[in-house]
Amino acid sequence: MSHSALTPVFVGLRVGLHVLIAGLLVLVLVRLPALPPPAAAAGLALVVVFAAVYVSSAFVRRVPEGWRRLAATVWVTVLALVWVGLVILVPEAAYLAFPLFFLLLHLLPRWLGPVAVVVTTAIAILALGLHQGFSVGAVIGPLIGAGVAILLGLGYRALAQEAAEREALLAELLSTRDRLAETEREQGALAERARLAREIHDTVAQGLSSIQLLLHAAERADPDRPGIEHVRLARDTAADSLAETRAFIRELTPPALDAGLGEALRRLGEAQSTPGGLRVEVETPPSLDLPMDLQTALLRIAQGAIANVRKHARADRATLTVRKDGDSTVLVVADDGVGFDPGAVAAGPGGADSFGLRAIAERVAQLDGTLDVDSAPGRGTRLTVTVPARADGGVA
């Protein structure tokens, strides 16, 4: 479905072209009785053929994409040949050259369209001259029509290109909106899982651990007292419940972060390093006391950045650094690869090379952070992500 605001313009132009051709064919039919019977019959046949070929354009539009350009070229060539035969018989058929100009410019390759318009103009001038005698009007009229057609054809092509760019931009915006919504759902789920893990750890798990310690103390204080077997049973039950609770906490925590963000990043560096190829070095503080949703987001950003380095940078060495900077957390990914022009990527059509960087930027923006990309062709890339944190430990 087209979302372009220019769609009504294109529809109006197509309808106008159809009406113009239909009106000119009616004019040719009206002029046929004035011709000798053999010529009138041949002209009528050519009008029918011209109309049939023109209507068959509906089938050309259904041709598979890879063959559509060839089919359109064949179609407009056949239409032009039928017109040549018609204009030889009926001089008024020369006026069909004007709508034919637009079809030639639109359907033929860029360099062939104007050439075809020039040839068509020459045929129209020659036909009018042979039928009605050469005059200034018979020559100037088709020339002016051809010039106007070329200008309008260029304008139509520019409008079509703008419409295609708008359509691509809108599709990218819709895709970005869907990715943002999915990221928001993912972040919400991760934040809720992390909150539940913290709550269970700080309440249920701590309570069960305290109960187990108290029961241990009671058992050691008087191991021969009556009912001690119930104390042991309660202690075992508390131990089992504590083990299950810790299992729930591990399930709620992302597996890659079960040993913390620093260890997850080190594992990422080891997994992405290859003998004789890319070497990923990781530098992190001994401990990173960050909320689980922030750890998850930074891990995903690091994974995306290292994936971009492997795919596009052709680097020998990459460094992945995490540090605290006041109330903010800073993630830096640098490489010694071929680099790129960040401005060109930002202004590009959104191909596969820029998708990873856009995904990182979207994730950073959702965290209210900042992304700085320092790169240039031939001198590597340095990507710096700064994410603030609230006083309560959540992501800003």
Side-chain angles (χ1 to χ4, degrees), residues 232-257:
R232 292 193 182 98
L233 179 60
R235 177 176 56 79
D236 293 339
T237 303
D240 293 340
S241 298
L242 180 60
E244 291 180 1
T245 302
R246 286 172 174 166
F248 291 150
I249 294 174
R250 285 194 298 271
E251 291 177 1
L252 290 171
T253 304
L257 295 168

Side-chain angles (χ1 to χ4, degrees), residues 4 25 45 48 83 86 107-108 118-119 123 150 163-164 167 180 204 209 223 235 264 283 317 334 387:
S4 174
L25 286 178
V48 172
W83 170 79
L86 191 60
L107 298 178
L108 292 179
V118 172
V119 173
I123 293 174
I150 290 176
E167 194 74 16
L180 284 175
V204 179
S209 180
R235 177 176 56 79
E283 301 175 10
R317 178 176 175 269
V387 180

Side-chain angles (χ1 to χ4, degrees), residues 29-41:
L29 288 174
V30 170
R31 297 294 297 169
L32 286 179
L35 300 177

